[in-house]
Amino acid sequence: MPAIQLLIPDDYQHIGPQLAELQQDSAYACRSLGDLSRAPDADEALAQAEALLLIRERTVVDEALLARMPRLRLVSQTGKLARNIDVEACSRAGVAVVEGSGSPYAPAELAWLLIMVARRRLSENIDSLRQGQWQGPVGQAVRGQTLGILGLGKIGKLVAGYGQAFGMRILVWGSERAREEAQALGYQAAGSREAFFAEADVISLHQRLVAATSGNITLDDLMRMKTDALLVNISRAELIAPGALETALDAGRPGFAALDVFEQEPVYDTAHPLLRRPNVLCTPHLGYAEEASYRQYLEIAYRNAVRFFQGDTSHVLNPEALI
C-alpha cells in the first residue's frame, strides 16, 4: 500500500526533514517545500499531497490552492485556526481541517530581545564595529521606563514579566478583562487608550489578528507616542492601519520601531521601505521560528494527521467536509 503523502509547504528553513518523528512511520511520507511561490517542483508536490502540515499562518489555503491539490484530504494547522485557511472552501472541496497548539515562549523571548537590541542601539553599534569604527549611537537602559503591553494574553504576560524583572513599570491596555487581570497581577491599567500611547516608553503589541483588531492601531494612536518611544510588533503587521506606521515614523512619533512582521511575507526586496529606515529594526518573522517551537508545532500537526488517516475524525473542525 503506498504511503500517505504529507506536505509541509513554505518551510523556509527546511525544518521538516530534521524532525525524526515526522519520518518514523513508513505509512506516511512527509516532505518539505520552501517558498511555494519559488519552488520549481511546487506543482508536482501539491498535486500528490494528501495532507498539508502548515507552519502557522504562512500558507494561504483558498480555492486557488485547493484547485492545485486534487488528492488533498486534510489540512493540519500548527497552532490555532487563523485567517489563512478558508474553511468554507475546504468544506466544499471535501478537505477536513484540524488545528494544533503552540508555545508562547519563543515569541515572547523575541519581543524582549528586540526591546533590548533596539533600546541599546545594539545593531548599529555592531555595524559600526564591523566598519572599523568604535562606539556608535548611545542607547538607553530600560530600568525605570514604562513598558506598555497591548493585549495581555499568554505572550503579553510573559513580556510583562520580563519587563518587570528588568525594573520597568508595566502599563496595560486592552479589553476590560485584560485591564482587570493586569491589576490583579500587580500591573497598572492605563486610564484610557490615549494615556496608554502617550505614557509608554516602549509599547509591545500582543493582540490576535481578528476582524475587531485589524487596523485598530491608528495614526492618531501612534502620533501620541513620545519622540524617543519604541514600538515593537511581533504579532501581526495588519494590527496597524495601512500606512500609519510609516507616516508616524516620518513625523518622529514613535522615534523607533522594531518589527518581526510585515503585511506581505516573505520580504525579498532589499529596497523595502521599512528595511531602509534607520529608525526601524527588522527581523524576518522569527517569533516562533525556533527549534523547540518548530518541533512542538509540527509534531502535533503530524500526530493529528495520523489520527485522521487512522479513522479518528473527532478533532475535525468542519465535519461537513466528511460527508
Side-chain angles (χ1 to χ4, degrees):
M1 186 173 181
I4 293 173
Q5 300 297 309
L6 311 180
L7 178 66
I8 306 173
D10 293 320
D11 184 3
Y12 306 138
Q13 295 172 301
H14 298 284
I15 193 69
Q18 302 176 42
L19 302 180
E21 181 164 336
L22 274 59
Q23 316 295 333
Q24 67 179 359
D25 190 337
S26 60
Y28 302 90
C30 190
R31 174 181 179 183
S32 280
L33 274 184
D35 188 340
L36 276 184
S37 68
R38 293 188 163 199
D41 52 347
D43 286 336
E44 180 270 333
L46 291 171
Q48 295 298 317
E50 297 170 76
L52 290 179
L53 309 186
L54 300 188
I55 297 179
R56 297 292 292 137
E57 300 170 29
R58 291 180 187 178
T59 309
V60 175
V61 180
D62 54 13
E63 287 187 349
L65 184 70
L66 293 169
R68 300 168 65 187
M69 307 189 69
R71 300 182 62 195
L72 187 67
R73 296 173 56 194
L74 175 72
V75 174
S76 186
Q77 174 75 58
T78 55
K80 296 300 182 182
L81 186 67
R83 301 198 310 176
N84 60 306
I85 301 176
D86 185 337
V87 178
E88 292 183 359
C90 288
S91 297
R92 289 193 297 270
V95 174
V97 178
V98 299
E99 62 181 2
S101 63
S103 167
Y105 296 105
E109 288 183 9
L110 182 76
W112 187 249
L113 176 63
L114 291 179
I115 290 170
M116 296 301 293
V117 169
R119 248 2 194 180
R120 293 299 298 269
R121 308 291 293 272
L122 186 62
S123 180
E124 298 104 309
N125 275 279
I126 291 173
D127 288 343
S128 177
L129 186 60
R130 286 175 171 167
Q131 293 166 9
Q133 303 173 36
W134 192 228
Q135 295 175 339
V138 177
Q140 301 178 26
V142 297
R143 185 173 184 83
Q145 294 193 351
T146 296
L147 172 60
I149 303 291
L150 183 60
L152 195 65
K154 293 179 181 179
I155 299 173
K157 287 177 184 175
L158 287 171
V159 176
Y162 301 156
Q164 187 177 52
F166 274 72
M168 300 186 80
R169 168 193 175 223
I170 308 302
L171 185 67
V172 174
W173 185 252
S175 65
E176 183 177 349
R177 177 207 59 78
R179 299 196 300 276
E180 291 175 353
E181 193 168 4
Q183 292 176 319
L185 291 170
Y187 304 142
Q188 183 175 347
S192 66
R193 186 181 182 91
E194 292 78 9
F196 173 79
F197 281 94
E199 293 177 23
D201 298 293
V202 179
I203 288 179
S204 192
L205 307 183
H206 299 291
Q207 293 178 315
R208 288 194 66 192
L209 180 62
V210 295
T213 60
S214 181
N216 82 121
I217 300 166
T218 67
L219 178 60
D220 286 345
D221 291 329
L222 299 177
M223 289 296 290
R224 290 188 174 93
M225 294 182 69
K226 301 175 183 179
T227 57
D228 63 347
L230 165 67
L231 180 77
V232 178
N233 189 3
I234 65 154
S235 296
R236 293 293 176 267
E238 294 87 348
L239 294 172
I240 303 174
L245 180 58
E246 293 86 342
T247 301
L249 288 168
D250 285 341
R253 293 179 181 270
F256 207 92
L259 310 173
D260 189 47
V261 289
F262 304 86
E263 291 180 6
Q264 299 293 329
E265 297 181 5
V267 175
Y268 294 116
D269 182 7
T270 57
H272 190 288
L274 287 171
L275 299 184
R276 299 181 71 86
R277 288 176 179 268
N279 58 343
V280 179
L281 172 65
C282 296
T283 51
H285 206 151
L286 296 175
Y288 58 88
E290 174 270 334
E291 183 178 346
S293 294
Y294 269 139
R295 186 175 303 280
Q296 176 178 344
Y297 277 121
L298 283 170
E299 289 182 357
I300 290 173
Y302 174 84
R303 290 196 293 271
N304 282 337
V306 171
R307 276 179 64 189
F308 175 83
F309 286 108
Q310 288 181 345
D312 180 359
T313 60
S314 60
H315 56 321
V316 170
L317 300 177
N318 58 334
E320 61 274 14
L322 305 177
I323 300 173

